[in-house]
């Protein structure tokens, strides 16, 4: 994917020197393209065998944001700190670990042991080359699970392990840079005036490619039946196909940064059990389609979508409501994914068949009536 996207972008910029992305950069001077990616890993932590905490209590706590960015305590804090320290020793350059929106304060038994732990955590580490970023994701997931087990805790990476509460997202960041003949590196997304435009035409083209092709790439970035339990209205889930630089309610966000080299696109619909290689590949191919076809995404959604009444949302397209719906969209239109041999037709057809079997199994399985914690 990277080889094909790089080749296509170089040809495009050489043929259209004025559409080069970075301010005052001529496409004829670009000799290489660099890809930078990252993921934000969210997961739920629970003490094994304990009864689940009250759904009503956790829902109320979530609404009041009682847990978001709160200090962690006891075994959870020790496990989280150990994860950050050990992963940093492995060279992941850890940046932060913090509580997310879901959970409740744990209880303490007669022996001083924490019980009824049930809370949501996020950890982040340094961005890297796209392939390395995907490698890192798989390693970190395994490491986090094993470290927390050492402290008597179970972690869950499913998109919606707790029915009725916030799910686990995995916000995925994409950035492109051009290397010129003098060896300098330039952001391909940075605008002349970031406060006015947020990004340039190349950045907006890539962003619109994601929005336009979302239905087709959806099965690769939201890859399980459970992914669509998360993508429901409420719970701060990205359910509308819009982009924003001023709030986090849209499916795609342009993070507000002052460093032009840090300008990037943040896709908020993937979840932790997506295959990172397939997800990055699909996102990059969708973004390329938007750039080379010079698609404009329209105005950003500066209002918080979570606060708008239904009548103001009716013209904004929604994400797919089920894996079956997403697979139908992929089956109808995936030609852009096969360009350059990136996704083979046989592979896509086999992927669709496997995922349809997952849908069939779900349809044959009784749905849980009450709040339930699932273990992968």
């Amino acid at each position: 994917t990277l080889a094909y996207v790089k080749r296509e972008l170089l040809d495009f910029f050489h043929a259209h020197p004025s559409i080069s992305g970075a301010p005052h950069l001529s496409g004829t001077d670009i000799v290489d393209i660099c890809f930078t990616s990252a993921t934000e890993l969210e997961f739920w932590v629970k003490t094994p065998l304990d009864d689940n905490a009250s759904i009503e209590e956790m829902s109320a706590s979530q609404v009041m944001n009682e847990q978001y960015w709160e200090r962690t305590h006891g075994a959870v804090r020790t496990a989280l700190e150990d994860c950050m320290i050990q992963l940093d020793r492995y060279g992941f350059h850890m940046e932060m670990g913090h509580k997310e929106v879901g959970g409740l304060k744990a209880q303490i038994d007669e022996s001083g042991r924490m019980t009824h732990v049930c809370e949501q955590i996020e950890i982040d580490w340094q961005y890297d080359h796209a392939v390395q970023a995907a490698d890192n994701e798989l390693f970190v997931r395994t490491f986090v699970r094993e470290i927390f087990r050492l402290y008597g805790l179970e972690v869950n990476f499913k998109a919606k392990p707790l029915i009725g509460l916030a799910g686990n997202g995995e916000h995925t960041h994409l950035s492109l840079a051009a290397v010129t003949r003098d060896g300098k590196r330039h952001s391909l997304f940075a605008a002349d005036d970031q406060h006015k435009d947020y990004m340039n035409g190349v950045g907006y083209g890539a962003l619109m490619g994601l929005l336009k092709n979302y239905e087709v790439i959806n099965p690769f970035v939201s890859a399980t039946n459970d992914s669509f339990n998360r993508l429901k209205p409420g719970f701060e889930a990205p359910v509308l196909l819009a982009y924003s630089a001023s709030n986090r309610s849209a499916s795609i966000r342009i993070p507000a940064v002052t460093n032009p080299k840090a300008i990037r696109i943040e896709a908020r619909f993937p979840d932790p059990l997506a295959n990172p290689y397939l997800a990055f590949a699909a996102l990059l191919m969708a973004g390329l389609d938007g750039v080379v076809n010079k698609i404009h995404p329209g105005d950003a959604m500066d209002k918080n979508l979570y606060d708008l009444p239904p009548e103001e949302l009716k013209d904004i397209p929604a994400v797919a409501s089920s894996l079956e719906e997403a697979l139908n969209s992929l089956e109808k239109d995936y030609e852009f994914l096969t360009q350059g041999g990136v996704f083979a037709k046989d592979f896509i057809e086999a992927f669709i068949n496997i995922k349809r079997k997952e849908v069939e199994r779900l349809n044959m399985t009784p749905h849980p009536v009450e709040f339930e914690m699932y273990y992968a």
Side-chain angles (χ1 to χ4, degrees):
T1 306
L2 298 178
Y4 173 73
V5 173
K6 178 187 295 188
R7 186 168 66 248
E8 290 295 301
L9 286 176
L10 287 174
D11 289 346
F12 178 75
F13 292 138
H14 293 162
H16 305 88
S18 61
I19 309 177
S20 55
H24 317 300
L25 177 65
S26 171
T28 56
D29 294 329
I30 300 175
V31 296
D32 198 7
I33 304 292
C34 296
F35 303 84
T36 304
S37 301
T39 55
E40 303 174 27
L41 184 63
E42 293 180 357
F43 53 95
W44 278 82
V45 180
K46 184 179 182 294
T47 40
L49 305 179
D50 277 337
D51 292 334
N52 292 312
S54 164
I55 184 71
E56 291 82 6
E57 284 185 77
M58 288 206 287
S59 180
S61 176
Q62 177 177 296
V63 170
M64 293 186 289
N65 284 324
E66 290 181 336
Q67 294 292 301
Y68 193 53
W69 284 96
E70 279 292 306
R71 181 181 181 275
T72 51
H73 298 273
V76 175
R77 182 178 185 83
T78 306
L80 179 59
E81 288 183 347
D82 199 3
C83 269
M84 301 295 287
I85 292 169
Q86 298 300 335
L87 284 167
D88 206 58
R89 287 176 176 171
Y90 271 76
F92 288 91
H93 306 289
M94 303 304 290
E95 294 186 339
M96 70 176 73
H98 64 85
K99 275 199 178 188
E100 261 295 335
V101 69
L104 276 179
K105 289 184 179 179
Q107 301 175 21
I108 300 178
D109 64 15
E110 296 176 352
S111 65
R113 185 178 68 90
M114 290 184 66
T115 63
H116 296 85
V117 172
C118 194
E119 54 190 80
Q120 193 178 28
I121 302 290
E122 177 185 312
I123 63 171
D124 305 306
W125 54 95
Q126 189 173 342
Y127 290 28
D128 216 317
H129 180 270
V131 173
Q132 187 62 55
D135 291 348
N136 293 349
E137 166 69 22
L138 296 184
F139 185 96
V140 171
R141 262 191 255 164
T142 301
F143 205 101
V144 166
R145 187 186 298 279
E146 297 305 324
I147 285 288
F148 272 81
R149 279 177 176 166
L150 289 176
Y151 294 93
L153 299 166
E154 288 289 344
V155 300
N156 193 305
F157 298 115
K158 288 193 70 173
K160 195 74 167 179
L162 303 175
I163 303 303
L165 293 173
N168 290 322
E170 184 169 62
H171 303 156
T172 299
H173 299 254
L174 301 171
S175 179
L176 297 179
V179 179
T180 48
R181 299 180 193 279
D182 57 7
K184 293 182 178 179
R185 185 165 169 158
H186 313 262
S187 169
L188 277 170
F189 290 168
D192 284 306
D193 185 349
Q194 291 172 224
H195 297 290
K196 177 183 176 183
D197 298 318
Y198 303 122
M199 290 195 300
N200 59 33
V202 172
Y204 279 120
L207 187 154
M208 187 56 208
L210 299 185
L211 292 176
K212 172 193 168 220
N213 296 301
Y214 166 78
E215 292 182 338
V216 179
I217 66 173
N218 195 0
F220 296 112
V221 296
S222 304
T224 67
N225 282 306
D226 199 52
S227 299
F228 297 90
N229 291 330
R230 170 178 170 257
L231 299 177
K232 303 292 184 187
F235 315 110
E236 298 190 2
V239 297
L240 294 172
L241 290 175
Y243 75 95
S244 175
S246 62
N247 66 78
R248 299 166 182 265
S249 61
S251 292
I252 296 177
R253 178 172 164 258
I254 308 169
V257 294
T258 56
N259 182 356
K261 293 182 179 180
I263 297 294
R264 59 194 184 274
I265 293 172
E266 177 188 346
R268 297 176 67 81
F269 36 79
D271 62 72
L273 290 186
N275 180 314
Y277 304 97
L278 297 183
F280 284 146
L283 290 167
L284 286 169
M285 290 297 283
L288 174 66
D289 184 55
V291 172
V292 298
N293 289 298
K294 298 187 278 289
I295 304 172
H296 193 278
D299 295 332
M301 174 54 70
D302 292 328
K303 297 179 181 178
N304 190 326
L305 296 171
Y306 301 140
D307 297 334
L308 296 182
E311 57 269 19
E312 292 192 43
L313 300 175
K314 64 180 187 305
D315 295 327
I316 304 175
V319 302
S321 61
S322 68
L323 180 57
E324 185 171 14
E325 181 184 334
L327 291 171
N328 290 339
S329 297
L330 172 60
E331 199 166 37
K332 289 176 184 175
D333 179 22
Y334 58 75
E335 184 178 351
F336 78 92
L337 289 174
T338 65
Q339 300 298 312
V342 172
F343 282 82
K345 181 179 178 181
D346 289 348
F347 170 80
I348 293 177
E349 290 176 351
F351 181 86
I352 291 172
N353 288 335
I354 289 171
K355 291 298 175 182
R356 287 206 186 281
K357 290 178 180 178
E358 288 185 18
V359 173
E360 290 172 7
R361 284 197 298 271
L362 178 72
N363 292 337
M364 295 172 61
T365 304
H367 292 274
V369 177
E370 299 177 351
F371 164 68
E372 181 177 355
M373 183 77 169
Y374 299 96
Y375 285 92

